[in-house]
Amino acid sequence: MADVAARAGVSRALVSIIFRDQPGASRETRERVLRVADEIGYRPDNAARLLARGRSRTLGVMFTVHQTFHTNLIAGIYPEAERLGYDVLLSAATQSRDEAKAVEALLSHRCEAVILLGPDAEPGYLDALGRRTVAVSVSRRVPQAHVDFVHSAEGKGVRQAMDHLVDLGHHRIVHIDGGQGPGSADRRRAYRAAMRRHGLQAELRVIPGDHTEQSGIEAGELLLGERDSGRPLPTAVLAGNDRCAWGLLMALTRAGIDVPRDMSVIGYDDSHLSHLMPIGLTTVRQDAALMAEHAVRFAVERLENEGLEPREAVVDPKLVVRGTSGPVPEGSSEGSV
Amino acid sequence: MADVAARAGVSRALVSIIFRDQPGASRETRERVLRVADEIGYRPDNAARLLARGRSRTLGVMFTVHQTFHTNLIAGIYPEAERLGYDVLLSAATQSRDEAKAVEALLSHRCEAVILLGPDAEPGYLDALGRRTVAVSVSRRVPQAHVDFVHSAEGKGVRQAMDHLVDLGHHRIVHIDGGQGPGSADRRRAYRAAMRRHGLQAELRVIPGDHTEQSGIEAGELLLGERDSGRPLPTAVLAGNDRCAWGLLMALTRAGIDVPRDMSVIGYDDSHLSHLMPIGLTTVRQDAALMAEHAVRFAVERLENEGLEPREAVVDPKLVVRGTSGPVPEGSSEGSV
DNA sequence: ACTCCGCAATAGAGCGCGCTAGTAGCGCGT
DNA sequence: ACGCGCTACTAGCGCGCTCTATTGCGGAGT
């Protein structure tokens, strides 16, 4: 910076002003300085900037590799952060690198706030983190922790999916749940409520699972095994998320079960794979862009208004009907054991 | 830091020494200072650290959202970087955020080197970047650019896959290529060479595609359409990568083509989805962990030895035979048009 | 008693910036 | 002539840390 100043025949302060796009420099000087800077390849040093400014205007995002929905969120976080004048740094949790480590990396790089995508850490940790810094949890509700919370209205999404299935004549509707996964508890609850509301409590069944393809495959194999020993297949399955639905579809396809003729399957997330399937996956779309937007805003607003308490945003999901849901198979609506 | 020093009754310099784990402080003082720091919640500020040290010991990683193989690489980068004492910062390229922007973000946060996962930017840009800083390209070869290069031996992988297919009796083997995608040119070339080597140049056929599920679906539909107008289906397809293979499988499944009975399909990458399929995907495994390790080492070694020139590492891939490849369908080995 | 040595601890410069307080110069009205 | 407000620019401190050089000090060697 000193070099640029010298070369352009101005003071360092003026160069600083120009690079911050602040008023206080004439048009010509501005152009000259920028030209000189370009010539000698000068680019302002963020670290020094942050240090001097006292604020970093940087948001940290913790995500989990392999969770496809997270990538949708990340894609949505960037533009909103940029709009508000914030930088974004990413840190991944992997098998060998737990969430706490990923978060520490962000914090030590001066992120003023952290956005946690589907955090899996224990409530105590999240609460402590939320008191040490501004934190936002996306998808996972942790009522007792001092963090903002953004999620989609799981209940509404599940209800739409269930209404859709019942409209199509389905009664024997099974839910593969997401175990400890974000949102799973709400989805499970909403499934139960919907079954009861439709007078189907007798058919209510939750198969434990998680948010992976593997769990869909296992649930599928479980159901197929039961069929072989006489128990009828459900006519419809509400999966814990899209990945799980994928796995289930794989298992069914392999066994020659035609979806949606023999069975309907509904996912959750509308990850980018859903519409690529030959018969697109009927799923509940979580508006990732909108969720990302809320998360960024919450973080920024709390950074810029000291006293603000953590808030909660609920984004309405929307059932996207594609090819994996259809009318109930003939003759199987009334428990054709 | 000054607070800690005051409370512990020592100078700031000593606190600094202690937090850097350097010799020059007695055992007792060390413990006392650490205790005090813990009490008032002090944690060293990385930005200031980097600034003062002149070196950040931070590697930047640019990746593309939705490219599943990248997540495997990321998972491998972390441990190796940690082992060598480096921090890692991630920056994603998305639809609305091009690679240059992602890289700028890393650089302005003082990353000393950038690791580019499957970069898609033009050679001129990469070369300029490689001269401005230490850069490593993973998967994409850009001979004219001043960057390290890590890739798997595409030729060997393709050759193994082709030999496998030919061993199974296949002649009519089609390749869906990866367009401009990383490694595609090499894979295409190796496919052509293998066909010739096996005396199958008459059957040689490359269908243009890219590294997405969509391109697999489209290629599948193309082949199915041709079948309907009399042209026989290939007995085997070598896809550009796993995502493409997925798409193809979807299209085939939908049309009632049984894999591997009617057609064999081989992917490339061994992304984490491949083994989850009902009949696992036969694919060429790129050793992501090893590639990540090389990338990190290259970057670090060039950072720590000024004069070093960019190098190239070739990691041997390995054919993983799963369920999507099988013997050639009866009666179709000799071009049964 | 003297130096020499090694260890614990410190003083203070400086990393590359941002920012506050200020100055110089100019046209304006009175 | 004076002060006033405005633009264009500058001096210099300080952000939180690292690092080199230096000091104080107790014990071993002569």
Side-chain angles (χ1 to χ4, degrees):
Chain A
M1 177 154 146
D3 291 349
V4 177
R7 282 228 200 188
V10 296
S11 68
R12 291 188 315 106
L14 196 54
V15 176
S16 169
I17 285 173
I18 289 166
F19 270 91
R20 277 177 290 139
D21 253 335
Q22 288 226 334
S26 68
R27 193 183 189 74
E28 317 136 48
T29 320
R30 215 171 272 271
E31 281 169 10
R32 182 159 42 94
V33 168
L34 288 176
R35 192 156 32 76
V36 170
D38 199 52
E39 274 168 24
I40 63 177
Y42 165 83
R43 297 171 344 101
D45 179 332
N46 232 316
R49 228 168 195 182
L50 312 190
L51 185 57
R53 188 158 44 194
R55 287 205 46 193
S56 69
R57 295 192 75 85
T58 300
L59 304 177
V61 176
M62 193 281 298
F63 69 102
T64 308
V65 289
H66 295 169
Q67 279 299 355
T68 50
F69 185 60
H70 289 186
T71 59
N72 296 345
L73 289 169
I74 290 171
I77 284 173
Y78 278 119
E80 182 66 6
E82 187 172 356
R83 208 175 62 76
L84 298 176
Y86 280 73
D87 251 13
V88 173
L89 247 33
L90 263 35
S91 186
T94 71
Q95 279 199 322
S96 62
R97 187 170 190 259
D98 65 21
E99 298 188 356
K101 208 158 185 175
V103 168
E104 284 312 309
L106 292 173
L107 255 29
S108 80
H109 277 275
R110 283 219 152 200
C111 290
E112 300 182 36
V114 286
I115 295 176
L116 310 167
L117 306 186
D120 196 31
E122 49 184 40
Y125 170 76
L126 290 179
D127 186 52
L129 178 63
R131 293 179 189 285
R132 192 169 96 192
T133 182
V134 171
V136 182
S137 166
V138 177
S139 288
R140 184 176 213 90
R141 158 183 275 142
V142 190
Q144 61 272 52
H146 192 258
V147 299
D148 290 288
F149 177 44
V150 177
H151 64 129
S152 72
E154 312 288 357
K156 282 195 196 171
V158 169
R159 202 177 318 141
Q160 286 177 55
M162 294 297 288
D163 288 353
H164 171 62
L165 289 174
V166 171
D167 280 352
L168 289 169
H170 294 274
H171 290 173
R172 206 157 55 244
I173 307 171
V174 163
H175 176 46
I176 307 172
D177 83 351
Q180 302 299 316
S184 305
D186 290 332
R187 290 177 204 169
R188 198 162 42 228
R189 201 174 307 124
Y191 159 78
R192 290 213 178 93
M195 287 299 272
R196 273 191 292 270
R197 192 161 46 82
H198 288 294
L200 301 172
Q201 49 273 66
E203 303 283 5
L204 193 153
R205 181 172 181 204
V206 176
I207 299 177
D210 59 40
H211 286 169
T212 64
E213 291 84 0
Q214 187 60 42
S215 98
I217 291 174
E218 283 165 11
E221 284 166 356
L222 171 69
L223 292 173
L224 291 164
E226 289 176 352
R227 179 197 56 176
D228 295 342
S229 48
R231 181 170 182 173
L233 283 175
T235 64
V237 173
L238 177 66
N241 75 344
D242 280 0
R243 292 178 68 187
C244 175
W246 262 102
L248 175 63
L249 286 171
M250 293 294 113
L252 295 176
T253 302
R254 180 201 175 102
I257 306 291
D258 186 278
V259 173
R261 197 193 61 205
D262 304 330
M263 194 191 294
S264 290
V265 173
I266 297 192
Y268 209 106
D269 275 355
D270 196 26
S271 61
H272 74 285
L273 295 173
S274 335
H275 70 279
L276 290 170
M277 300 180 56
I279 44 166
L281 179 66
T282 295
T283 186
V284 177
R285 170 179 300 161
Q286 303 199 58
D287 190 335
L290 190 54
M291 290 173 75
E293 208 176 306
H294 273 110
V296 171
R297 281 213 207 137
F298 278 179
V300 170
E301 284 173 14
R302 265 178 61 215
L303 286 176
E304 301 183 350
N305 300 282
E306 200 65 30
L308 248 49
E309 279 299 298
R311 285 167 301 167
E312 180 172 339
V314 183
V315 174
D316 274 351
K318 191 171 146 239
L319 182 70
V320 181
V321 178
R322 295 206 185 88
T324 57
S325 58
V328 68
E330 283 172 30
S332 69
S333 55
E334 214 58 35
S336 60
V337 185
Chain B
M1 177 156 146
D3 290 351
V4 177
R7 283 228 200 188
V10 297
S11 69
R12 293 186 313 107
L14 195 55
V15 177
S16 170
I17 285 173
I18 290 166
F19 270 92
R20 277 177 291 137
D21 253 336
Q22 289 227 332
S26 66
R27 194 182 191 74
E28 319 136 47
T29 320
R30 217 171 271 272
E31 280 169 9
R32 181 161 40 93
V33 168
L34 289 176
R35 193 156 30 75
V36 170
D38 199 53
E39 273 168 25
I40 63 176
Y42 166 83
R43 297 172 342 103
D45 178 331
N46 232 317
R49 228 170 195 182
L50 311 190
L51 184 58
R53 189 156 41 194
R55 287 207 47 193
S56 69
R57 295 191 76 84
T58 301
L59 303 177
V61 176
M62 193 281 300
F63 69 102
T64 308
V65 289
H66 296 169
Q67 279 299 355
T68 50
F69 185 60
H70 289 186
T71 59
N72 296 345
L73 289 168
I74 290 171
I77 285 174
Y78 278 119
E80 182 66 7
E82 186 172 358
R83 209 176 62 77
L84 298 175
Y86 280 74
D87 251 15
V88 174
L89 247 32
L90 263 35
S91 185
T94 71
Q95 279 199 322
S96 62
R97 189 170 189 261
D98 64 21
E99 298 187 355
K101 208 159 186 175
V103 168
E104 284 312 309
L106 292 172
L107 256 28
S108 79
H109 277 274
R110 280 217 155 203
C111 290
E112 300 182 24
V114 286
I115 295 176
L116 308 167
L117 306 186
D120 194 31
E122 48 184 41
Y125 170 76
L126 291 178
D127 186 54
L129 178 64
R131 294 180 188 285
R132 192 169 94 194
T133 183
V134 171
V136 182
S137 166
V138 178
S139 289
R140 183 177 213 89
R141 158 182 274 144
V142 189
Q144 62 272 51
H146 193 259
V147 299
D148 289 288
F149 177 44
V150 177
H151 63 128
S152 72
E154 312 288 357
K156 281 194 197 171
V158 169
R159 201 176 319 141
Q160 287 178 57
M162 293 297 288
D163 288 352
H164 171 61
L165 289 174
V166 171
D167 280 353
L168 289 169
H170 294 273
H171 290 172
R172 207 157 53 243
I173 307 170
V174 164
H175 176 46
I176 306 173
D177 83 351
Q180 301 300 314
S184 306
D186 290 333
R187 289 178 205 169
R188 199 161 42 226
R189 201 174 307 125
Y191 159 77
R192 289 214 178 93
M195 287 299 272
R196 273 192 292 270
R197 191 160 47 82
H198 288 294
L200 299 173
Q201 48 273 68
E203 303 283 5
L204 194 153
R205 181 171 180 204
V206 176
I207 298 178
D210 59 40
H211 287 169
T212 64
E213 291 84 0
Q214 187 60 42
S215 97
I217 291 174
E218 282 165 11
E221 284 167 356
L222 172 69
L223 291 173
L224 291 164
E226 290 175 353
R227 177 197 58 175
D228 295 342
S229 47
R231 182 170 183 171
L233 283 175
T235 63
V237 173
L238 176 67
N241 75 343
D242 281 0
R243 292 178 69 188
C244 174
W246 264 97
L248 175 64
L249 286 171
M250 293 294 114
L252 295 176
T253 304
R254 180 202 176 106
I257 308 290
D258 186 277
V259 172
R261 197 193 62 205
D262 304 330
M263 195 191 294
S264 290
V265 173
I266 298 192
Y268 209 105
D269 275 356
D270 198 27
S271 60
H272 73 286
L273 296 172
S274 337
H275 70 279
L276 290 171
M277 300 180 55
I279 45 166
L281 179 67
T282 295
T283 186
V284 177
R285 171 179 301 162
Q286 302 199 58
D287 191 335
L290 191 54
M291 290 173 74
E293 208 175 305
H294 273 110
V296 171
R297 281 214 206 137
F298 279 179
V300 170
E301 285 174 12
R302 267 179 58 215
L303 285 176
E304 300 183 351
N305 300 284
E306 200 66 29
L308 249 47
E309 279 300 298
R311 284 168 301 169
E312 180 172 339
V314 183
V315 174
D316 274 351
K318 191 172 147 239
L319 182 70
V320 181
V321 178
R322 295 206 185 87
T324 57
S325 57
V328 66
E330 284 171 30
S332 69
S333 55
E334 214 57 36
S336 61
V337 184

